[in-house]
Amino acid sequence: MTIKRTYILAIESSCDDTSVAILENDKVLSNIIATQDVHKEYGGVVPELASRAHQQNIIPVVDTALKRAGIKKEQLDAIAFTEGPGLLGSLIVGASFAKSLALGLGIPLIAVDHLKAHIISHFIQDNEAIPNFPFLCLTVSGGHTMIVKVDSPTKMEILGKTIDDAAGEAFDKIAKIMGLPYPGGPLVDKYAQLGDSDKFSFPHPKTTELNFSFSGLKTSVLYFLKKEVEKDPNFVQNNLNDLCASVQKTIVDILLKNLILASKKTNIKEIAIAGGVSANSRLRMEIQRLGNEKDWNTYIPKFEYCTDNAAMIGILGYFKYLEGSFVNQRITPKARIEF
Ligand code: KG4
Ligand code: ZN
């Protein structure tokens, strides 16, 4: 039996990356990401600047993605785009472009949930291994932190989530307190490699069930540093590596404690991580170590599919294509979306 070749063009524009991917079934032919440097000097993403940059980037990024894939737009079978959640102005740019392209080519339009796409990025063909259903996915990004039970590519349920800040937000806000530029998560990871993670200890939050909380950690780092800087104005510079290592250890420990609990409660030993923070080297290492200790099968997405990218929109788009789950031209993107 020959499997039909389906070509999907996917667009991701929920935050500050303009990304376009072309997939042939579950295989990524191209995955182009234009990051926006304009936000660096503001210490965070400025929504209005993000939507303007998406407008400038979208056509060249689509063009490059098609060229890199060696595909003509007439060969495309469907267009997938991020419906939400995200910054509304940014989402509108991607959604409007996707709608016009689908209309012009006379092909189906597929609306994709950004968070579900992070989770389903595990099914992109060039990942090392693919999880078996049902699996648990610790989904950790700049805006969300949750443990999800995944029954199929389109059926999933949240078992626990953050009641305040997301894990990525905690990395970024604490990095900002330490004077690091946005986004601070990857920098904390980098400095942590040279530091002692047991040098400083920060409290773990008390939350109910499988929920998370990170705002208390941010406040305790803030007060701790204020006190130390009064005694030594160079405290942060002199201890940057140890501070980063200790903060990173605390965040990763908080995440893993609930993941262990979720595995126990559900008796599921297929364990995955997804989202921008799954690029964190300590989280990746600890998941593997726990996997051996607890007899879990662990799944870590390829590095390029952790942070925001259109390939993940394309793979969930492909599953929705197989189900015939299409939307019409009346669709509008949403800043918040029911999971
Ligand atoms: O999934 P993502 O690219 O965008 C959202 O959907 O939010 O996640 C971005 C988040 C940012 O908070 C960023 O600091 C964090 O992921 N991040 C990291 C690392 N790489 C990205 N956090 C810790 N360590 C990293 N290596
Ligand atoms: Zn994301």
Side-chain angles (χ1 to χ4, degrees), residues 14-17 114-115 118 140-144 167-169 171-172 182-190 248 275-281 303 306-309 312:
S14 66
C15 192
D16 59 340
D17 293 311
H114 178 90
L115 290 170
H118 268 302
V140 270
S141 71
H144 295 82
E169 204 176 349
F171 269 108
D172 296 340
Y182 178 86
L187 291 171
V188 172
D189 191 352
K190 186 177 137 195
Q248 177 173 277
V277 180
S278 62
N280 183 264
S281 55
F303 199 75
C306 288
T307 44
D308 289 348
N309 67 89
M312 69 184 197

Side-chain angles (χ1 to χ4, degrees), residues 263-281:
S263 167
K264 251 193 211 152
K265 276 191 154 191
T266 56
N267 210 15
I268 295 174
K269 287 173 173 260
E270 294 281 306
I271 308 288
I273 55 173
V277 180
S278 62
N280 183 264
S281 55

Side-chain angles (χ1 to χ4, degrees), residues 25-78:
N25 298 357
D26 59 350
K27 183 175 165 198
V28 175
L29 301 182
S30 64
N31 183 32
I32 309 297
I33 304 174
T35 44
Q36 305 177 356
D37 286 335
V38 286
H39 308 287
K40 277 216 164 86
E41 61 184 290
Y42 298 98
V45 177
V46 183
E48 184 52 36
L49 294 180
S51 29
R52 258 188 254 166
H54 281 304
Q55 281 178 327
Q56 283 163 354
N57 290 342
I58 188 90
I59 292 174
V61 174
V62 166
D63 200 45
T64 309
L66 284 164
K67 282 200 183 110
R68 192 78 55 87
I71 294 290
K72 296 206 180 323
K73 59 183 188 309
E74 292 73 24
Q75 287 175 268
L76 295 171
D77 293 286

Side-chain angles (χ1 to χ4, degrees), residues 220-238:
S220 81
V221 173
L222 180 70
Y223 286 124
F224 171 72
L225 290 182
K226 256 193 179 158
K227 210 174 71 207
E228 294 300 327
V229 168
E230 270 172 24
K231 291 184 264 172
D232 169 13
N234 294 323
F235 181 81
V236 176
Q237 293 91 312
N238 292 343

Side-chain angles (χ1 to χ4, degrees), residues 98 117 126 189 261 329:
D126 58 338
D189 191 352
L261 202 60
Q329 288 285 325

